[in-house]
Amino acid sequence: MAGTTAAHAALVFAGGLGIANEPGPKFKAAAMAYYAGTHWEAGYLNEGVNHGTDGVFVEYRLSRAVTKRLRATLALGPEVLNTTYDIRPGVVTNGYHPSLLVSLSSSYRLSRLWRIGIRWNHIAFQQSALFGYRDADMVVLTLGYGR
């Protein structure tokens, strides 16, 4: 494996979000994450700045260096979202929801401490009579700092 894996890094994400099975407007999205060691990540995710869904997540990451500067990562883990609006009209769905977060990303090391990248998050909700079914896809650009 070429290159080195960051032991600790802080990242800021910004991008857009679309609800997979609901037509309508797309939303702005933001997140912050901390890489704790080479395999764990924890962070905060905002599904749309004006959308009303915030969550915390933990993911287990598998990374592979493609070149000395380019890295690809697959991550998977639980997320707890707090929704402050109704997902479906006429059905009260606000509150806390467990979900599964799957992420694919690639990052490019600009220097010893700085990196940029792109990340796709898929947030999967459980299907239930109360909450219906809702998945969301988020594409964000990343800016990272760390060793």
Side-chain angles (χ1 to χ4, degrees):
M1 194 156 69
T4 60
T5 302
H8 300 281
L11 284 85
V12 176
F13 311 101
L17 166 81
I19 307 301
N21 61 340
E22 294 183 16
K26 304 303 179 227
F27 303 96
K28 296 175 185 171
M32 295 180 294
Y34 176 71
Y35 289 176
T38 57
H39 295 294
W40 290 99
E41 174 183 1
Y44 162 79
L45 185 62
N46 178 280
E47 284 192 21
V49 175
N50 57 353
H51 198 244
T53 302
D54 297 291
V56 292
F57 66 90
V58 176
E59 285 187 305
Y60 183 77
R61 302 174 346 163
L62 297 172
S63 290
R64 174 69 100 191
V66 179
T67 68
K68 287 185 176 184
R69 293 185 176 259
L70 183 64
R71 177 164 294 281
T73 302
L74 169 66
L76 176 71
E79 178 180 26
V80 176
L81 292 171
N82 179 27
T83 304
T84 57
Y85 72 102
D86 292 339
I87 294 172
R88 296 190 177 281
V91 179
V92 178
T93 56
N94 54 5
Y96 290 94
H97 309 285
S99 61
L100 176 68
L101 179 62
V102 179
S103 304
L104 289 174
S105 63
S106 65
S107 64
Y108 184 80
R109 186 173 291 282
L110 296 172
S111 68
R112 190 171 76 73
L113 296 175
W114 289 95
R115 71 183 76 174
I116 60 169
I118 188 164
R119 177 173 172 146
W120 169 72
N121 289 334
H122 180 76
I123 302 111
F125 276 98
Q126 295 177 344
Q127 186 168 359
S128 71
L130 178 61
F131 299 122
Y133 175 77
R134 177 185 179 268
D135 280 0
D137 291 299
M138 179 183 301
V139 176
V140 289
L141 298 176
T142 65
L143 176 63
Y145 178 83
R147 58 176 178 87

